[in-house]
Structures are given as structure tokens and as C-alpha cells.
Amino acid sequence: MSQPTIESILQEKRLFPPSAEFSQNAQIKSLEEYQHLYDKAKADPEAFWDQLAKSELHWFQKWDKVLDWQPPFAKWFVNGKINISYNCLDRHLTTWRKNKAAIIWEGEPGDSRTLTYAQLHREVCQFANVLKSLGVKKGDKVGVYMPMIPEAAVAMLACARIGAVHSVVFGGFSAEALRDRLIDGQAKLVITADGGWRKDAIVGLKPQVDKALEAGAVPSVENVLVVQRTKQEVNMQEGRDHWWHELQQKASADCPAEPMDSEDMLFILYTSGSTGKPKGVVHSTGGYNLYTHMTTKWIFDLNDTDVYWCTADVGWITGHSYIVYGPLSNGATTVMYEGAPRGSNPGCFWDVIEKYGVTVFYTAPTAIRAFIKMGEQHPNARDLSSLRLLGTVGEPINPEAWMWYHKVIGGERCPIVDTWWQTETGGIMITPLPGAIASKPGSATRPFPGILADIVDLDGNPAGDNEGGYLVVKHPWPSMMRTVYGDDDRFRRTYWEHIAPKDGKYVYFAGDGARRDEDGYFWVMGRVDDVLNVSGHRLGTMEVESALVSHPAVAEAAVVGKPDELKGEEVVAFVTLEGTYQGSDELSKELKSHVVKEIGAIARPGEIRFTDALPKTRSGKIMRRLLRNLAAGQEVSGDTSTLEDRSVLDKLREGT
Ligand code: WTA
């Protein structure tokens, strides 16, 4: 089992059309229907989104203009007034959906809870009042550092309801990483829990928050709200820390949704790039609401009988768009699961599908590969016949994993939507619409209507069929990120200046390499920058390098990705040591733990290689390409003539 290579995907010609029965009942029923929508949207994107915004969402006030595009800054539905929490909750209460399950939660170990739309609305209104009582106002930033429990969704929706901006930080990030994000986002309040379940153990979250806030490190934070989840002893600082349940009980359930400007900031979400610290990706309200609503509706093909489950964590964009906002805006039933794939419970995902009769299931290739390894006897021992549609996200899926998913989980009857998108895009950009587009294992297939995706060279010239190039988007779309929080210049540089078309037009550079085959299908090959994708999680090489050099033993560090069967990529760090330090297994262990402490377990290097020197060009740039070859155990390929000192390479080779 391996990651797809250019050769392997070009040989991948198998085509899997949806069954006639699936297509007949689908939202978008045929290739012709998709093509019609796509062409219509391409001819006049503004008219396309204008019509959908009117028919699909509730607005307090209509917009004056669909799109105001001052490259690279976009405003969608200018002067429109909307509230995404209203669209996710209130509007369903006047329909039969009032008592439909909004969130079905499966906790660890074995507890569960269901919230109907009416119950979720009540919780959100009460919690919005709690936030208000602690002085949170429209425009204030709120940090959310939570396990996978319904309160995470309640917290997000309550912020949105009163116009506070949430900044969710994945619960697996360390105190240091949390602190950086709270400081950058100027959080006024933090919402957390005493602890949460990770795999088979309880991990403390509140202690991490305490550490992040230690010694007034984040002066903007005034209050901390703590959900009691795991009930272990935690320190509660008088005046600053409050129990969620105590304040929630006392709060009124009357809290009308605040009419927000369409362009008001909805959330900040930090993600890794190739340079510097993680950047705060800013998403705004109206366009994000519309785009996540439409993509959820047409890609996951939701009907009122569906039980939809996305296995992501709310700490990532997939959790924001496709556990919380997209499904709830559609009035769907969304499953939240606190557990994760693990050897000690190899059937855990399949148990959840059987228990709730999940019909639409969305997960990551890395999880699929982990389950393949655990063996098909586990899914085979469960009743998975409720499933009718499957999805994947986060990284390229290798055809072998695709076929396993198709056969063992989907029983050869469920279409698979391989969805390509990013934190920055807000919603899914390239994917099959399941009733309309036949899939090919490993291809995300065709762009969503309204998305003008292309593959180009650095001058913006389109690549020919099967010729590799950079994946770009040529026209703004409603849920595109608006900027990097506090750094418009970084936004411009990172995404809009890499590709320089001759006509001077701005195109969005995704950071991925891709090719398009003779049928117009896109094949995303992976990052072309210094961003790694480890188990579907984005990591900047520079972030890991900074973490390493903050250890006193480390003089210099260069981090690269090495192909890994399960994780997609694994972190390999080449390290030179200060003065008298000597490389040893012990130091290697210590450095790995140091990275975990600085960033979190997702960044733990798989391998540390000590070396006397790093291969550099004469201008002092580390030649990562060579290190990538070495890490993968391959012959060093390409030009090495710019190497300053060739003996460095020889020594590194000897060491491997
Ligand atoms: C990668 C996750 C291939 C890609 C939603 C992208 C994919 C990065 C796919 C964004 C896919 C995501 N096929 N690659 N279906 N989906 N990627 O911001 O490299 O965490 O740029 O968003 O994941 O990761 P992010």
C-alpha cells in the first residue's frame, strides 16, 4: 500500500458510475444536470450564487450587490444581513424538523446523547446569554479548546448567534500552540472542558489552558468557561474560571439571533503554511453559510431520512463546515463521535454506523488505511447496510484504499465522493456529485458548480491533458478565506502572487500540484510547498523546525516528509547539535517529546537523524529535495551542482 504516484494514477482507468437507483433519487441526477449547472455558473457566477442565496437561506435584509471583488479581497452579498445560527437552528423550528435529531453524539466510553433541533436551539440560546453575561460582545474573539462533545458545537453556534468570532483550537494541540493562537487572535474568553477522551485515555484540557494562560501570558483573556466532561480534579481560578453547567442552568433561553453583516467575521481557524507561524484563516458569514450549505446538500445528497456522519474533529475546517454548519443549515442529523480509530477497539467506527443506521459517512484516507490494517473481519461483523454514500477528505487516497472502502465498507453499492478542499477554501471545491459523476479511484473528479479550477504553470498558462501543474482557482467563490487575520499582506503574498498570469488577473494558488486527464478529471498530487500532510493533518516544516531549535541541544534542523503507508507522510528531522552534545537514542526521544510539547502529538517526528552539517546551496539555503530523497531511502536525484559542500551529502548517505 502506498501513496499514489504519477505513474499509478495515470494507469488508473477504472470508472465507477452511480447506480441508476442512486441517481434517480439524488439531488443532482445526471452528468447533463451537473454540466448544465456548471456551465450556468461559469457563464455568470454572480447570478448563480444570487439565486441560490435567495432560495436556500434566510436573510434579515437582502444584499445590494452579490460580489465586490477588489483583488485579492472579496466581499459577498454586500450589505446583506444574516445569522448562520438562525439558519442552522431557528428556521427549522417552524417545521416538523423541530423535534428531529440535530446532533447524535457518541461519547467515550459508551455514553451518548441526542439533541433535537429544539433542544440544541435552547442550549445555544442559553449559552449565548452566558457569553453575554461575561461581557462577550459582537466582534469579540472567543477561543474554543474542546473535546468532541456537543458543547463544542453549542459554543460555536452561540458565538455566531451574538456575533462573537470563534477561534477553535484542536484539543490535541499543546499549551504552547494554544497560547500562540490565543495571543494572535486576541481571545477575550476561552471555552474548554476539564478533560476529554483521546483513544483510551483521559487527557486534561483545562490544565493545558492554565498553562497557556500562565503568568498573564495572554492578557486579553478575561474568563474561562469549563465543561465538566471527565470529572477529574481541576484547578479553578477564582474570578476567572467558571463551570459551564452552573452558568448555563441560570441563563435565560431567550436570545434572538443578531443580524450580522454578510461580511462580518464568523471565525478564525489557524492552519500551517510553508513559512512562519500558523496563520489565522479568516472566514466571514454570508458566503460561508451559502457555500457550506450548497456543498453539503449536493455532495452529501442529504434527505430527511439520512443520518450523516463526518468523523473529523471540530478543531479542523472539516469539523466546522461538515459537522456543524453545513449539515445543520440543511436541517440534517449529524453524528459527532468522541473516539478515534485504535487497535484496542478495531470496530469502533462500524459500531457507530450500525448503532445509528448511518447512511452517509465521510472520513479520511488515513483512517481507512488504519482500518485496512486492522482487518476486514471487523466491518464484516457489523451491519453496514444502512450506508448509501461514502466520502473522503484530507489527502490523496491511494487506489487500493479506495477499492477497499468501496468493497468492504460500501458493499460495492455506495458512490464515493473524494473531496478536495482546504481550510482556506471554506468548503469542498473539487468532488464528484454522487448521482451525476462517475468516480475513478484516486481522483477528486470535477469542480463544484461555480468553481473555476484550473491547472497552470507559474505564468498562469493552462497545462495540457495529463501534464502536471499548479492547482488554481480563477474566480472568487463565496466561502473563500477573506484574509490572514491581521496580515493582509501575507494573504496576498501566500495565495495570490505565486502565479502571475500575463493578463494581470489574480488567481488563487492552492499550494497543491495536480493534473487533469483526458476526461477533465482532476488528480490532486499533494503539496508543492513545504507543507506536510501527516495523517491528513497539515504541518509546516518550519513550525517543526522552530520547535526543534528551541531545544538547547539543537543548532539547526531541517524537516522533510517521508512517504508512510499509514499516515501518508511521516516527519523526518535532520538535526545538527550544539557544541558538545552527542546524538543518542535518548536525545532523539527527548527531541521528539520536545516537539510534542511545543506543538502537539500530531507533529511528533517519526525519525530524528543527527548529522554534522546540512546540505546547503552556496547562498545558504537548505536543499530539502536532497533530504527528502535521503529520508525516503532513495537515490539523490536531480541536480546537486549548487551544493556548497558535496562531502556533506556523502556523509549523510553513509549515515543512512
Ligand atoms: C490536502 C482539509 C488530495 C491538500 C479539508 C490540501 C487533499 C490540504 C484532499 C488542505 C483530497 C485535502 N485529495 N489532497 N481529497 N483533501 N487535501 O487545510 O494538500 O487541513 O491543500 O483542509 O489537504 O488541508 P486542510
Side-chain angles (χ1 to χ4, degrees), residues 97-115:
R97 290 187 181 129
K98 181 175 177 184
N99 295 318
K100 175 180 175 176
I103 295 178
I104 294 177
W105 173 71
E106 179 71 11
E108 289 281 309
D111 42 355
S112 60
R113 204 174 147 198
T114 297
L115 287 161

PDB file of all heavy atoms in Angstrom, residues 97-115:
ATOM      1  N   ARG A  97     -39.171  19.610  11.543  1.00  0.00           N
ATOM      2  CA  ARG A  97     -37.820  19.252  11.998  1.00  0.00           C
ATOM      3  C   ARG A  97     -37.544  19.673  13.438  1.00  0.00           C
ATOM      4  O   ARG A  97     -36.525  19.302  14.008  1.00  0.00           O
ATOM      5  CB  ARG A  97     -36.772  19.907  11.106  1.00  0.00           C
ATOM      6  CG  ARG A  97     -36.723  19.322   9.725  1.00  0.00           C
ATOM      7  CD  ARG A  97     -35.564  19.897   8.953  1.00  0.00           C
ATOM      8  NE  ARG A  97     -35.515  19.358   7.615  1.00  0.00           N
ATOM      9  CZ  ARG A  97     -35.436  20.089   6.513  1.00  0.00           C
ATOM     10  NH1 ARG A  97     -35.395  21.413   6.601  1.00  0.00           N
ATOM     11  NH2 ARG A  97     -35.386  19.523   5.335  1.00  0.00           N
ATOM     12  N   LYS A  98     -38.432  20.462  13.997  1.00  0.00           N
ATOM     13  CA  LYS A  98     -38.252  20.924  15.377  1.00  0.00           C
ATOM     14  C   LYS A  98     -37.835  19.789  16.313  1.00  0.00           C
ATOM     15  O   LYS A  98     -36.947  19.944  17.138  1.00  0.00           O
ATOM     16  CB  LYS A  98     -39.571  21.545  15.855  1.00  0.00           C
ATOM     17  CG  LYS A  98     -39.522  22.079  17.246  1.00  0.00           C
ATOM     18  CD  LYS A  98     -40.822  22.770  17.598  1.00  0.00           C
ATOM     19  CE  LYS A  98     -40.744  23.228  19.051  1.00  0.00           C
ATOM     20  NZ  LYS A  98     -42.000  23.834  19.489  1.00  0.00           N
ATOM     21  N   ASN A  99     -38.464  18.652  16.172  1.00  0.00           N
ATOM     22  CA  ASN A  99     -38.138  17.536  17.060  1.00  0.00           C
ATOM     23  C   ASN A  99     -37.312  16.446  16.387  1.00  0.00           C
ATOM     24  O   ASN A  99     -37.227  15.312  16.859  1.00  0.00           O
ATOM     25  CB  ASN A  99     -39.411  16.948  17.672  1.00  0.00           C
ATOM     26  CG  ASN A  99     -40.082  17.978  18.574  1.00  0.00           C
ATOM     27  OD1 ASN A  99     -39.404  18.672  19.325  1.00  0.00           O
ATOM     28  ND2 ASN A  99     -41.388  18.115  18.457  1.00  0.00           N
ATOM     29  N   LYS A 100     -36.686  16.812  15.286  1.00  0.00           N
ATOM     30  CA  LYS A 100     -35.768  15.885  14.605  1.00  0.00           C
ATOM     31  C   LYS A 100     -34.418  15.942  15.323  1.00  0.00           C
ATOM     32  O   LYS A 100     -34.038  16.992  15.864  1.00  0.00           O
ATOM     33  CB  LYS A 100     -35.620  16.348  13.146  1.00  0.00           C
ATOM     34  CG  LYS A 100     -34.619  15.567  12.331  1.00  0.00           C
ATOM     35  CD  LYS A 100     -34.526  16.089  10.880  1.00  0.00           C
ATOM     36  CE  LYS A 100     -33.409  15.350  10.154  1.00  0.00           C
ATOM     37  NZ  LYS A 100     -33.312  15.714   8.738  1.00  0.00           N
ATOM     38  N   ALA A 101     -33.682  14.832  15.294  1.00  0.00           N
ATOM     39  CA  ALA A 101     -32.345  14.853  15.901  1.00  0.00           C
ATOM     40  C   ALA A 101     -31.438  15.777  15.087  1.00  0.00           C
ATOM     41  O   ALA A 101     -31.314  15.600  13.875  1.00  0.00           O
ATOM     42  CB  ALA A 101     -31.767  13.451  15.931  1.00  0.00           C
ATOM     43  N   ALA A 102     -30.863  16.749  15.757  1.00  0.00           N
ATOM     44  CA  ALA A 102     -29.887  17.617  15.097  1.00  0.00           C
ATOM     45  C   ALA A 102     -28.502  17.000  15.275  1.00  0.00           C
ATOM     46  O   ALA A 102     -27.793  16.748  14.307  1.00  0.00           O
ATOM     47  CB  ALA A 102     -29.927  19.015  15.700  1.00  0.00           C
ATOM     48  N   ILE A 103     -28.152  16.731  16.531  1.00  0.00           N
ATOM     49  CA  ILE A 103     -26.854  16.120  16.817  1.00  0.00           C
ATOM     50  C   ILE A 103     -27.068  14.807  17.559  1.00  0.00           C
ATOM     51  O   ILE A 103     -27.767  14.762  18.574  1.00  0.00           O
ATOM     52  CB  ILE A 103     -25.983  17.056  17.689  1.00  0.00           C
ATOM     53  CG1 ILE A 103     -25.635  18.331  16.914  1.00  0.00           C
ATOM     54  CG2 ILE A 103     -24.707  16.342  18.151  1.00  0.00           C
ATOM     55  CD1 ILE A 103     -24.822  19.346  17.709  1.00  0.00           C
ATOM     56  N   ILE A 104     -26.494  13.742  17.018  1.00  0.00           N
ATOM     57  CA  ILE A 104     -26.418  12.481  17.765  1.00  0.00           C
ATOM     58  C   ILE A 104     -24.969  12.361  18.185  1.00  0.00           C
ATOM     59  O   ILE A 104     -24.071  12.384  17.340  1.00  0.00           O
ATOM     60  CB  ILE A 104     -26.800  11.278  16.892  1.00  0.00           C
ATOM     61  CG1 ILE A 104     -28.271  11.348  16.484  1.00  0.00           C
ATOM     62  CG2 ILE A 104     -26.509   9.972  17.646  1.00  0.00           C
ATOM     63  CD1 ILE A 104     -28.699  10.210  15.555  1.00  0.00           C
ATOM     64  N   TRP A 105     -24.752  12.262  19.473  1.00  0.00           N
ATOM     65  CA  TRP A 105     -23.380  12.220  19.963  1.00  0.00           C
ATOM     66  C   TRP A 105     -23.070  10.861  20.567  1.00  0.00           C
ATOM     67  O   TRP A 105     -23.829  10.337  21.377  1.00  0.00           O
ATOM     68  CB  TRP A 105     -23.178  13.316  21.010  1.00  0.00           C
ATOM     69  CG  TRP A 105     -21.849  13.252  21.687  1.00  0.00           C
ATOM     70  CD1 TRP A 105     -20.643  13.544  21.136  1.00  0.00           C
ATOM     71  CD2 TRP A 105     -21.590  12.879  23.045  1.00  0.00           C
ATOM     72  NE1 TRP A 105     -19.643  13.377  22.057  1.00  0.00           N
ATOM     73  CE2 TRP A 105     -20.192  12.966  23.235  1.00  0.00           C
ATOM     74  CE3 TRP A 105     -22.395  12.485  24.107  1.00  0.00           C
ATOM     75  CZ2 TRP A 105     -19.587  12.668  24.458  1.00  0.00           C
ATOM     76  CZ3 TRP A 105     -21.803  12.183  25.323  1.00  0.00           C
ATOM     77  CH2 TRP A 105     -20.409  12.285  25.490  1.00  0.00           C
ATOM     78  N   GLU A 106     -21.955  10.300  20.128  1.00  0.00           N
ATOM     79  CA  GLU A 106     -21.488   9.041  20.714  1.00  0.00           C
ATOM     80  C   GLU A 106     -20.193   9.346  21.446  1.00  0.00           C
ATOM     81  O   GLU A 106     -19.205   9.759  20.842  1.00  0.00           O
ATOM     82  CB  GLU A 106     -21.259   8.015  19.598  1.00  0.00           C
ATOM     83  CG  GLU A 106     -20.745   6.677  20.064  1.00  0.00           C
ATOM     84  CD  GLU A 106     -21.772   5.823  20.823  1.00  0.00           C
ATOM     85  OE1 GLU A 106     -22.971   6.163  20.828  1.00  0.00           O
ATOM     86  OE2 GLU A 106     -21.358   4.829  21.440  1.00  0.00           O
ATOM     87  N   GLY A 107     -20.231   9.192  22.756  1.00  0.00           N
ATOM     88  CA  GLY A 107     -19.056   9.543  23.554  1.00  0.00           C
ATOM     89  C   GLY A 107     -18.201   8.335  23.870  1.00  0.00           C
ATOM     90  O   GLY A 107     -18.454   7.236  23.410  1.00  0.00           O
ATOM     91  N   GLU A 108     -17.192   8.593  24.624  1.00  0.00           N
ATOM     92  CA  GLU A 108     -16.323   7.530  25.113  1.00  0.00           C
ATOM     93  C   GLU A 108     -16.435   7.581  26.621  1.00  0.00           C
ATOM     94  O   GLU A 108     -16.382   8.662  27.189  1.00  0.00           O
ATOM     95  CB  GLU A 108     -14.884   7.796  24.716  1.00  0.00           C
ATOM     96  CG  GLU A 108     -14.598   7.632  23.248  1.00  0.00           C
ATOM     97  CD  GLU A 108     -14.439   6.174  22.854  1.00  0.00           C
ATOM     98  OE1 GLU A 108     -13.652   5.484  23.516  1.00  0.00           O
ATOM     99  OE2 GLU A 108     -15.095   5.759  21.917  1.00  0.00           O
ATOM    100  N   PRO A 109     -16.491   6.572  27.349  1.00  0.00           N
ATOM    101  CA  PRO A 109     -16.604   5.200  26.878  1.00  0.00           C
ATOM    102  C   PRO A 109     -18.064   4.762  26.937  1.00  0.00           C
ATOM    103  O   PRO A 109     -18.540   4.334  27.994  1.00  0.00           O
ATOM    104  CB  PRO A 109     -15.763   4.445  27.895  1.00  0.00           C
ATOM    105  CG  PRO A 109     -15.882   5.286  29.161  1.00  0.00           C
ATOM    106  CD  PRO A 109     -16.329   6.667  28.788  1.00  0.00           C
ATOM    107  N   GLY A 110     -18.719   4.916  25.823  1.00  0.00           N
ATOM    108  CA  GLY A 110     -20.065   4.354  25.697  1.00  0.00           C
ATOM    109  C   GLY A 110     -21.225   5.257  26.080  1.00  0.00           C
ATOM    110  O   GLY A 110     -22.365   4.843  25.990  1.00  0.00           O
ATOM    111  N   ASP A 111     -20.985   6.473  26.518  1.00  0.00           N
ATOM    112  CA  ASP A 111     -22.153   7.308  26.791  1.00  0.00           C
ATOM    113  C   ASP A 111     -22.585   8.003  25.512  1.00  0.00           C
ATOM    114  O   ASP A 111     -21.805   8.182  24.586  1.00  0.00           O
ATOM    115  CB  ASP A 111     -21.920   8.315  27.925  1.00  0.00           C
ATOM    116  CG  ASP A 111     -20.568   8.979  27.861  1.00  0.00           C
ATOM    117  OD1 ASP A 111     -19.762   8.609  26.992  1.00  0.00           O
ATOM    118  OD2 ASP A 111     -20.314   9.875  28.675  1.00  0.00           O
ATOM    119  N   SER A 112     -23.851   8.392  25.456  1.00  0.00           N
ATOM    120  CA  SER A 112     -24.336   9.015  24.234  1.00  0.00           C
ATOM    121  C   SER A 112     -25.448  10.003  24.564  1.00  0.00           C
ATOM    122  O   SER A 112     -26.006   9.982  25.665  1.00  0.00           O
ATOM    123  CB  SER A 112     -24.830   7.951  23.265  1.00  0.00           C
ATOM    124  OG  SER A 112     -25.871   7.216  23.860  1.00  0.00           O
ATOM    125  N   ARG A 113     -25.755  10.839  23.588  1.00  0.00           N
ATOM    126  CA  ARG A 113     -26.732  11.898  23.822  1.00  0.00           C
ATOM    127  C   ARG A 113     -27.300  12.350  22.485  1.00  0.00           C
ATOM    128  O   ARG A 113     -26.556  12.403  21.498  1.00  0.00           O
ATOM    129  CB  ARG A 113     -25.967  13.066  24.441  1.00  0.00           C
ATOM    130  CG  ARG A 113     -26.774  14.007  25.265  1.00  0.00           C
ATOM    131  CD  ARG A 113     -25.805  15.002  25.894  1.00  0.00           C
ATOM    132  NE  ARG A 113     -26.447  16.281  26.018  1.00  0.00           N
ATOM    133  CZ  ARG A 113     -25.825  17.419  26.201  1.00  0.00           C
ATOM    134  NH1 ARG A 113     -24.504  17.454  26.272  1.00  0.00           N
ATOM    135  NH2 ARG A 113     -26.484  18.548  26.322  1.00  0.00           N
ATOM    136  N   THR A 114     -28.566  12.658  22.456  1.00  0.00           N
ATOM    137  CA  THR A 114     -29.156  13.194  21.226  1.00  0.00           C
ATOM    138  C   THR A 114     -29.799  14.535  21.534  1.00  0.00           C
ATOM    139  O   THR A 114     -30.497  14.679  22.529  1.00  0.00           O
ATOM    140  CB  THR A 114     -30.230  12.221  20.679  1.00  0.00           C
ATOM    141  OG1 THR A 114     -29.586  10.997  20.337  1.00  0.00           O
ATOM    142  CG2 THR A 114     -30.887  12.784  19.430  1.00  0.00           C
ATOM    143  N   LEU A 115     -29.532  15.498  20.682  1.00  0.00           N
ATOM    144  CA  LEU A 115     -30.149  16.813  20.836  1.00  0.00           C
ATOM    145  C   LEU A 115     -31.031  17.074  19.621  1.00  0.00           C
ATOM    146  O   LEU A 115     -30.549  17.026  18.488  1.00  0.00           O
ATOM    147  CB  LEU A 115     -29.075  17.899  20.897  1.00  0.00           C
ATOM    148  CG  LEU A 115     -28.256  17.988  22.170  1.00  0.00           C
ATOM    149  CD1 LEU A 115     -26.968  18.756  21.929  1.00  0.00           C
ATOM    150  CD2 LEU A 115     -29.063  18.675  23.264  1.00  0.00           C
TER     151      LEU A 115
END
